[in-house]
Amino acid sequence: MATEQNNLTLVVLAGGLGSRFGGNKQITPLPKLERTIMELSIEDAFNAGIKQAVLIINKSVRAELEQTILPRLPKTMHITLIEQSIDMLPSEFKHLAEHRTKPWGTGHALLCAKPYVNGPAVVITADDYYGPNAYKQMVEHFSQSKDASSMAMVAFPIEKTLSEQGGVNRGICEVEQQSLKKVTETLNIHQTEYGLVGEIEGQLQSLDSHSLASMTFWGITPILMAKLENDFKKFLEAYDSDVKKEYYLPNCIQTCIESEHVSVRVYSAVDFWFGVTFKEELTSVAGKIYEHRQG
């Protein structure tokens, strides 16, 4: 039986606009399962012992969430909905929202949850399916570690995250003694007759098929929340009206690692990762998730 973690919160980043998908994929049900990836993730977290969740959403999905999805979630799971809006900025920077239409990024999305997260939290994205064991690994981590500077992540063997649709972009983890040192953004990762390759800073390089990829499954502590708030102000001070510029969560975590504010313990995922970028992938991905959940 799962150990209930009263102070551990699940934070679901569900505020993206889904431009490549062509709609709000956060609320698109999977064929055969007839539930969204986000619902399955919340259920997995609940079964692992996490009893509260904060969902960072965009305004356009709120009605569907409240009417259709929330009633299907575990009844004793405490759910808080937060709308990520472009004008959720410190007062001195409110004017920067005037000409912006794109959300401020994953760092800002997590920052929106700050008033509702009082302890450690598991941070995921709404359109990635991580499997039930990732939540069990994170619950175990925080039940063992009470050190506020000890964060964690579940990373996935790169070969478990490839797509049949073509090359993928992934953050490749550099790990030393089970601690994260660096995440390197690697583009167009794909299999060739010579093995796995990807582009790093414009150069095609061979990759170890056993490398771990960051798929946005973080175990964070309040230290990171304070750092996010401080660094977001610095980001806004340097903001040059580039409407596509975003404040990314991994960049802030990297800064924390380099300044030794935190350490990030890396756990290798047990399950496969599944995600949907394009509508054409829905049926295929749904079938694979269905098979894995049936055991």
Side-chain angles (χ1 to χ4, degrees):
M1 186 173 176
T3 302
E4 187 164 328
Q5 294 291 305
N6 293 320
N7 69 333
L8 188 56
T9 302
L10 177 69
V11 179
V12 184
L13 307 182
L17 298 177
S19 54
R20 286 181 292 176
F21 183 79
N24 287 307
K25 58 182 171 178
Q26 308 97 313
I27 56 172
T28 301
L30 296 167
K32 200 170 185 179
L33 288 156
E34 301 309 324
R35 287 188 292 165
T36 64
I37 286 178
M38 177 167 58
E39 287 175 74
L40 301 179
S41 294
I42 293 172
E43 182 180 293
D44 287 341
F46 180 83
N47 290 336
I50 302 172
K51 304 304 180 185
Q52 53 201 12
V54 176
L55 278 52
I56 310 300
I57 63 172
N58 67 61
K59 186 177 182 179
S60 65
V61 304
R62 187 177 193 114
E64 179 69 17
L65 271 169
E66 290 180 334
Q67 293 168 18
T68 306
I69 294 175
L70 294 191
R72 296 196 296 240
L73 296 176
K75 302 304 180 198
T76 55
M77 184 76 155
H78 184 269
I79 305 288
T80 303
L81 298 182
I82 307 297
E83 291 181 19
Q84 181 188 13
S85 62
I86 293 162
D87 62 356
M88 291 177 78
L89 301 172
S91 56
E92 64 268 33
F93 298 108
K94 291 282 188 183
H95 64 283
L96 295 178
E98 292 174 8
H99 303 292
R100 188 170 177 110
T101 57
K102 188 178 177 68
W104 289 101
T106 51
H108 177 253
L110 179 54
L111 194 53
C112 293
K114 186 174 184 288
Y116 308 92
V117 178
N118 301 313
V122 177
V123 181
I124 66 170
T125 62
D127 49 7
D128 291 302
Y129 182 72
Y130 305 97
N133 285 294
Y135 302 93
K136 294 174 185 176
Q137 288 171 291
M138 207 57 74
V139 166
E140 178 67 17
H141 171 83
F142 284 114
S143 68
Q144 297 291 327
S145 174
K146 304 302 180 185
D147 183 352
S149 67
S150 176
M151 302 204 321
M153 73 181 300
V154 174
F156 287 72
I158 187 69
E159 58 190 357
K160 290 187 176 183
T161 75
L162 301 179
S163 171
E164 296 171 357
Q165 306 297 317
V168 297
N169 302 339
R170 299 285 182 257
I172 303 296
C173 301
E174 182 181 320
V175 182
E176 288 182 12
Q177 296 179 329
Q178 297 183 303
S179 290
L180 181 66
K181 296 303 177 186
K182 184 181 180 183
V183 176
T184 301
E185 190 62 31
T186 308
L187 309 180
N188 193 26
I189 301 170
H190 60 280
Q191 287 282 6
T192 70
E193 58 182 307
Y194 305 107
L196 201 61
V197 298
E199 296 173 18
I200 300 176
E201 296 182 347
Q203 298 292 319
L204 194 65
Q205 298 187 24
S206 295
L207 302 175
D208 184 344
S209 63
H210 299 295
S211 296
L212 295 176
S214 169
M215 305 305 293
T216 313
F217 195 106
W218 300 100
I220 68 160
T221 67
I223 286 179
L224 180 70
M225 285 295 202
K227 185 70 173 167
L228 273 173
E229 191 167 43
N230 184 59
D231 283 6
F232 186 51
K233 288 182 179 180
K234 292 179 181 177
F235 170 87
L236 293 172
E237 286 170 358
Y239 183 65
D240 56 8
S241 300
D242 178 354
V243 294
K244 293 185 178 179
K245 198 171 185 180
E246 294 186 46
Y247 180 55
Y248 292 113
L249 175 59
N251 293 352
C252 185
I253 292 175
Q254 185 65 43
T255 301
C256 287
I257 292 171
E258 291 174 356
S259 62
E260 299 184 348
H261 280 91
V262 302
S263 61
V264 179
R265 170 72 183 268
V266 180
Y267 296 91
S268 182
V270 177
D271 299 311
F272 275 79
W273 166 92
F274 297 108
V276 176
T277 302
F278 305 99
K279 277 185 178 174
E280 295 76 14
E281 298 174 306
L282 260 181
T283 301
S284 171
V285 169
K288 291 174 182 175
I289 293 176
Y290 180 83
E291 288 175 13
H292 276 75
R293 288 180 72 83
Q294 297 305 306

